[in-house]
Every structure is written in C-alpha cells, then in structure tokens.
Amino acid sequence: MDLQQWLGRATHAIQDWADTFGGYEPHPSLHVDDDRFAAAFEEFTGRLKDNYPFFHPHYAGQMLKPPHPAAVVGYLTTMLINPNNHALDGGPATARMERDAVSRLAAMFGYDTHLGHLTTSGTIANLEALFVARELHPGQGVAYSADAHYTHGRMCHVLGVKGHPVRTDVTGRMDLGALEDLLRTGEVGTVVLTTGTTGLGAVDPVHRALPLAERYGARVHVDAAYGGFFTLLAGVEGPEGLPPEPWRAIARCDSIVVDPHKHGLQPYGCGAVLFRDPEVGRFYLHDSPYTYFTSAELHLGEISLECSRAGASAAALWLTFQLLPPTPDGLGQVLAAGRRAALKWTDLIAGSDLLELYQQPELDIVSYFPVVEPATLAGVDAASARILAEGMASEDPVFLSTLKANREDFTARHPEIAADADGARILRSVLMKPESEHHVGHLHTRVARIAQLR
C-alpha cells in the first residue's frame, strides 16, 4: 500500500472533476505563500510529535490506533469537496454511501430491518438510543452494568431519566440476578447490555439477559461501541473464535451502537446507531425551511439528533468496506489477529513469576498486575504505577495503560491479596492492532524486565 501514491490519485481525481465546472481563481484573501506555509507547517509537525506512537506495535495502551490507508484516502478525497450529510442537497453521493455502509453494519449484526445512521461518536450514538428509549418508556429509568461506559450515566442525566447501575459478577459481566431484582420494581424501561466493556472487554450475556428484559416489558439496547465488530468471530473455529450465543442474540435487541473508529479502522469520529424498528424514526420528525427540499427521499438529518455531519466519514467507511468488508473473511481477520495476540500474552503471563493475570480476556484487552511481596493492594498499585512510568521512559519504550480496580472486585478475583487499600491500579493492554500478534513476546519481556527491577 503506497499511501502517497493513493493520495496523489485522490487529488488528481477531484481536480479533474472540479475542472468540468470551468476554471476559476481562488480569491486573493485565501492566498498563503510557500515560505509562510513552510514555517507554519514546520511548527505544526513539530507539535504533533508530542504524541504517543499509536501506530506502533509497542503501543499497547489505550484504544487508539491509526485508520486504514483506505479510510485516510477516502476521508481526505471527500474532504476536498466537503459534503455535509445532514441533507441530501448537502451530500447526495455521501448520503448514499452512508446508507450503504450502515446497511452493512446492520447486516453484520443480523438485523433484517433497520433505521440508522453514522454519528460523530459512540457517546452521541448512545444518547440517540436512550432518547428513543425514553420516548417509548416515559417515566421509567435505564439499567446498565456498573462496568458500562460512564456515557450511560451521563446521558441519563442529560435526558432527565434515572440511571440504575447494576453490579457485575466476578467476570465483569452484568449480574442477572441483580438485574431481575431491579426489573421487578417496574422502575426500569430500558436495559443496556455491553458487548465489550472499555475496561476489561467483558461481554454481557445478551442471550440470557434479553428474555429476562422481555419478561418485564423492558427495551434492550446493546452498547457495542468497543466490541461490536467481534461479532465477526462468533462461532469461528480456532482459538480466536468466540461463543456465538451473546452475539447472535444481538439481532433480537431493539438498538445497537458500534464505533467504526475503533475496530472498523476509521478515523475519529465515526460512530453509528442502529434501530431494529424503522418506525422509531417518528421521534426525530422535524422540519427545516431551507433543507429537505431536493428530494422526497428520507434525508439523514431527519433521523438524527445531530445536524451537520461530515460526509467524509461516510465515504471513508464505504471505501474501507469495499476493500475490507465487515465479514469473517474481511475485517474479521483483523480482529482475529488481535484476539490471538491477547491469548498469546495471556499464556506468557500464566507462565511468569513476575506478572499475574487479573482475569481471562474475552476480546483483545489483557489485564494483569505485578507480583509483589508482601501481596497487598497498596503494593500492587505502586508497582503498576512504576511499571507504567518506567516503561514509557525507557530507551526501548513500551506503552501501557492502567485500570483502577476497587477492593471488592480485586479481592473477589484474587483473595490472596491483602485488602489494605480501597483498590489498586492494574496494568491493561489493548491489542487492537493486528501487528500486535507478532510483538507480544517483546512486550511481555519488556514489562517483565521492568517488573523485576523493583
């Protein structure tokens, strides 16, 4: 893949199209001479170096990685036109691309019918799903896992509905006994299930929670912002394959959120919200006197809480899906590599006397902590913080992240650790990049060596 060549093709293609409308000279007020640009660009690129190397396999920290070159080219090419996917007259071509890409996402989850669109983030996508849920169940609250993303509590506050965190079990999944106790009260109209928590990558048991929610008349929303694309590995043979039951059950849930800017190889921000019942579009109905007039066809702005949205995001996703479709043989191979990397590092940790696994990974997030003597929460916390800092500062750096585990969660998994603090930071490695599969040996060696230097 020659990104420079692809970008050259992009600029030529757009210029050729622009020339069909006749030549023109840019206004003098827009002119910037080359020397002035060079000076500003040098400072600009210098400032950009104040970043972590998200692109490198030695970066195994937060949920960050570069977009695929196809997404970069798709975005930049379309940005030269700069369409707005709010109304069809703002971006007719990219509106069609968005519908196509969203349909492929819906098919990936098994939806036979759907209404959906792209958003600027998973946060906004979740807001839209909970907005519709509120309209369908006025006066009732929303239940979500205590380990779910903080978005849900925040969005409940924005929408003026009561949020109900539900405790998790020893695997980080929603405790269904606690959920049923809550549903019995009649206070909950919507249950949010998470397929891939951002902390540990835990997958709520959708297949068991769904009939429970249905029994009490509650709507089910799936927050698959992080883990959604792992449905491509459901039932796949081999160690990277996932149990199919929770993923297959998503097709029967009322709404789904997924973030292509995570495992879909897209630039920020590109989220998506999908509804199984297209009739929920009635809750979005509005009018605008200067848009929605070029076509009787549904405009994307008529089914979205957002107004202006980058057509370039839709174009980037569409082009990526032409090359790496959301199928087990397409994008599924990218996720399989990350899953294999997580399993490989898990085996290395299991054989180490310097590191201990916090819990078995379900997706591509590995959680672990340094072995300390005496074995206390305070000791684990201090050692994890030291490894994080020294790993980034070394000549051969390794980039990790930490996760704060509270006393109850930690000791439930590791009762041998003395609970002398309210919790402890553990180490957390997100292996989103497929290249990680070939670098986990080095990552493990580096982390273990730093842990040894205590």
Side-chain angles (χ1 to χ4, degrees):
M1 291 179 291
D2 189 334
L3 181 57
Q4 186 173 1
Q5 182 179 3
W6 286 10
L7 290 174
R9 179 176 296 180
T11 56
H12 287 307
I14 296 303
Q15 189 60 55
D16 287 345
W17 170 76
D19 287 344
T20 65
F21 295 93
Y24 74 98
E25 289 294 327
H27 193 274
S29 64
L30 300 174
H31 176 73
V32 175
D33 64 63
D34 289 343
D35 289 342
R36 187 179 176 190
F37 174 78
F41 192 72
E42 183 177 4
E43 180 182 355
F44 169 69
T45 53
R47 290 185 178 223
L48 284 179
K49 292 175 184 177
D50 184 22
N51 266 306
Y52 298 117
F54 308 127
F55 58 88
H56 200 280
H58 294 177
Y59 182 87
Q62 304 293 350
M63 297 170 174
L64 294 162
K65 66 177 181 180
H68 191 274
V72 174
V73 172
Y75 197 102
L76 291 178
T77 304
T78 311
M79 193 175 62
L80 296 174
I81 305 172
N82 203 26
N84 180 351
N85 269 24
H86 176 64
L88 287 174
D89 49 304
T94 49
R96 287 190 290 271
M97 290 182 188
E98 179 167 345
R99 289 199 187 91
D100 187 10
V102 168
S103 292
R104 300 189 81 165
L105 290 173
M108 181 180 76
F109 289 112
Y111 270 10
D112 293 326
T113 59
H114 74 279
L115 181 78
H117 59 88
L118 300 182
T119 64
T120 52
S121 68
T123 299
I124 296 300
N126 276 307
L127 172 64
E128 295 209 17
L130 296 184
F131 158 71
V132 168
R134 184 194 68 180
E135 299 304 294
L136 287 166
H137 292 274
Q140 290 183 292
V142 176
Y144 45 85
S145 157
D147 284 359
H149 198 274
Y150 62 83
T151 285
H152 299 291
R154 177 184 287 179
M155 293 302 103
C156 283
H157 178 71
V158 169
L159 292 167
V161 301
K162 186 174 182 180
H164 300 269
V166 180
R167 71 170 179 261
T168 56
D169 61 20
V170 75
T171 67
R173 302 168 185 159
M174 182 183 284
D175 185 313
L176 298 189
L179 174 62
E180 184 164 21
D181 289 342
L182 183 58
L183 288 170
R184 284 197 191 99
T185 67
E187 297 179 11
V188 170
T190 301
V191 176
V192 176
L193 302 173
T194 304
T195 51
T197 58
T198 51
L200 297 170
V203 178
D204 284 339
V206 182
H207 56 300
R208 293 192 290 120
L210 179 61
L212 181 62
E214 290 174 339
R215 188 185 314 158
Y216 291 93
R219 184 179 178 82
V220 177
H221 168 60
V222 176
D223 182 358
Y226 176 69
F229 282 96
F230 278 96
T231 193
L232 299 173
L233 301 184
V236 168
E237 294 184 5
E240 66 269 30
L242 297 173
E245 294 82 5
W247 304 98
R248 298 288 185 259
I250 293 176
R252 307 198 313 273
C253 296
D254 297 289
S255 56
I256 309 165
V257 159
V258 65
D259 274 356
H261 65 219
K262 292 188 172 75
H263 287 99
L265 304 177
Q266 298 304 293
Y268 291 103
C270 184
V273 61
L274 304 165
F275 299 97
R276 187 178 58 168
D277 180 9
E279 290 300 314
V280 302
R282 67 187 185 274
F283 297 116
Y284 288 98
L285 287 178
H286 65 281
D287 192 21
S288 172
Y290 59 91
T291 55
Y292 312 147
F293 59 84
T294 56
S295 172
E297 189 179 355
L298 182 68
H299 295 250
L300 290 165
E302 295 177 275
I303 56 166
S304 171
L305 293 182
E306 294 179 276
C307 291
S308 296
R309 293 178 306 110
S313 290
L317 184 60
W318 185 90
L319 182 58
T320 304
F321 279 176
Q322 304 312 300
L323 305 172
L324 290 169
T327 61
D329 292 334
L331 267 177
Q333 296 304 303
V334 178
L335 279 89
R339 174 79 178 130
R340 288 193 297 267
L343 294 175
K344 182 177 179 180
W345 200 346
T346 296
D347 290 342
L348 292 171
I349 293 171
S352 172
D353 58 0
L354 297 169
L355 301 171
E356 185 168 351
L357 198 66
Y358 180 70
Q359 78 169 43
Q360 185 74 18
E362 290 193 68
L363 303 179
D364 59 3
I365 300 176
V366 183
S367 56
Y368 52 102
F369 59 93
V371 175
V372 296
E373 293 294 341
T376 66
L377 288 178
V380 168
D381 183 78
S384 295
R386 180 183 65 81
I387 291 172
L388 176 71
E390 293 183 11
M392 290 190 291
S394 65
E395 292 184 0
D396 183 12
V398 57
F399 301 88
L400 312 172
S401 63
T402 58
L403 172 69
K404 181 67 177 289
N406 65 43
R407 183 204 316 252
E408 293 75 18
D409 289 343
F410 203 120
T411 55
R413 292 167 172 82
H414 299 277
E416 75 281 2
I417 304 292
D420 63 339
D422 63 356
R425 282 168 288 183
I426 61 173
L427 296 168
R428 170 178 167 274
S429 294
V430 180
L431 303 175
M432 296 180 72
K433 296 182 288 293
E435 296 85 358
S436 297
E437 181 178 13
H438 305 299
H439 288 260
V440 290
H442 177 82
L443 290 169
H444 175 77
T445 299
R446 290 291 300 121
V447 175
R449 187 171 298 161
I450 297 169
Q452 191 173 29
L453 299 174
R454 55 180 179 262

